[in-house]
Amino acid sequence: MQITRYIQELLYQHECVTIPHFGAFLTRSFGAQVSSEGHFFPPRKEVNFNQLLVANDGVLAQYYDHKENKSYENALRTIEKEVSSWKRRL
């Protein structure tokens, strides 16, 4: 489904993407580093998941609404259906 692709796209733009009634993906960026031994570590982004952050912040629904040219309410319903599907599979 498109929702997973939109979550991925949003993670490049935001530090937190909340999936209503499911949880939130949180990112943390790390800059490039050079160790004392001279090893180079490129910049990276770490992604974590917090199942306690379930309140809708509107970011995902607004992005979905914009990309699919649907109403905000329709986007929320679509996300809720997808989340229900995920929960059944888990």
Side-chain angles (χ1 to χ4, degrees), residues 24-80:
F25 289 99
L26 306 154
T27 63
R28 191 168 134 200
S29 297
F30 296 89
Q33 298 175 349
V34 178
S35 72
S36 57
E37 295 87 28
H39 296 109
F40 175 75
F41 298 98
R44 63 186 173 94
K45 197 171 213 180
E46 183 178 277
V47 179
N48 293 297
F49 183 77
N50 185 333
Q51 67 185 23
L52 300 176
L53 299 174
V54 295
N56 182 21
D57 61 3
V59 173
L60 179 58
Q62 286 178 345
Y63 192 74
Y64 185 88
D65 155 0
H66 172 74
K67 290 292 218 175
E68 298 290 326
N69 294 320
K70 296 184 178 186
S71 70
Y72 181 81
E73 292 77 22
N74 191 316
L76 279 177
R77 280 194 299 275
T78 303
I79 292 168
E80 287 173 5

